[in-house]
Amino acid sequence: MEDTPRKPGFETLAIHAGQEPEAVTGAVVVPIFQTSTFAQEAVGKHKGYEYARTGNPTRTALETCLAALEGGRWGLAFASGMAATDAVAHLLSKGDHVVITDDVYGGTYRLFTKVFARLGIELSVVDMRKPEAAKRAMRPRTKLVWIETPSNPLMKVLDIAALADIAHRGKALAVVDNTFASPYLQQPLKLGADVVLHSTTKYLGGHSDVVGGGLAGNDEELRGRIAFLQNAAGGVPGPFDAWLVLRGAKTLAVRMERHSANAQAIAEWLAENPKVTTVNYPGLATHPQHTLARRQMRAFGGMLSFELRGGEVAAKRMAARTKIFALAESLGGVESLIEIPLAMTHDSVRGTKLAPPAGLVRLSVGIETVDDLIGDLGQAIG
Ligand SMILES: *Cc1c(COP(=O)(O)O)cnc(C)c1O
């Protein structure tokens, strides 16, 4: 017998963290507390809940689970990934500066350049594959270093530990958008990040049936500042949406294993296909940051992109011809999706230096039978 009980593993936390049987009825699954307000026994005497923008038990369960999965002390849930991004950006004041990775999620770039720039927040966009580039971009008023890895849609892999160190030397916060990897594959807080961000719409939800966002971290003072913004601005998820993400998270580990195995097989198959010119997948030994990806990720995930001989025309033709891969935006669900980033998800960066190649095809590889997926891609490439 061991004296100190071992810490629960990831899969156990996904199913149980914040999700003890409910106190009144013993319900094994966290109920959907579909209520906007909570009765008080006397003025100010209550069970921890007053008004559901400030807190709701279903959301609390999700926030506790998110924190556990990222190995953090706190989690906060939002109505969308962008609402979570907006809350972090609101930590800043006029004249503050942000260093952000190029190839960042288009909506994040749009928020900083079209909304926060107007409010006096300055932005430097750098290719963070060389951490020195981020170091050179730091200024006295740099407050955030915004990291996203692997990136969307080019699958660049960034060194989280090195970049967090640069942020901290400049007294800035290191924020990692961990949407593509999910906490099962990569845990940025353990590598030094201060805040981890998720679009829970993607792998955490996992079934393409909910829009949501989340943050996790360790510092309590920072939690207080962000929770204040969450309540003050009100971008919170409803209880049913929180419940859907919580349900999705239970199977995250098994889904990510299959997403990764299927994507690896597809990436290897594409790399052998004479009609394919480039494949971007961190699990390929030919990926420029493959060694780094091995070091900071458990496996390489379900996202990949590639280019075809014949460029944009061939790419659009292929995207219209797949039968199992649905032509759709978004990612991270059990079903496979195909899209052309520049024409679809990345329209907001068209004409900027963040614009991906017009002929780039992005796949969100689902958990269907891999031979069916390869067969579908084969007939679509033709
Ligand atoms: C989708 C996405 C977001 C934005 O999340 P929403 O839930 O759509 O608001 C942010 N970052 C990444 C990497 C994403 O894929």
Side-chain angles (χ1 to χ4, degrees), residues 185-198:
L185 299 184
Q186 173 173 283
Q187 295 186 312
L189 297 178
K190 294 192 175 142
L191 298 167
D194 302 288
V195 179
V196 175
L197 182 140
H198 283 283

Side-chain angles (χ1 to χ4, degrees), residues 266-272 276-281 284 286-288 304-307:
I266 289 172
E268 287 170 11
W269 177 81
L270 285 169
E272 295 290 313
V276 173
T277 55
T278 25
V279 184
N280 307 308
Y281 185 65
L284 292 178
T286 50
H287 187 283
L304 62 88
S305 61
F306 60 95
E307 289 176 75

Side-chain angles (χ1 to χ4, degrees), residues 80-82 105 108 148 152 177 179-180 199 201-202 211-212 331:
S80 67
M82 290 321 302
Y105 177 71
T108 307
E148 182 180 324
N152 176 15
D177 184 333
T179 299
F180 265 37
S199 167
T201 313
K202 315 296 169 51
V211 170
L331 60 111

Side-chain angles (χ1 to χ4, degrees), residues 96 221 335 363-364:
D96 284 347
E221 192 262 343
E335 66 287 303
L363 301 181
S364 172

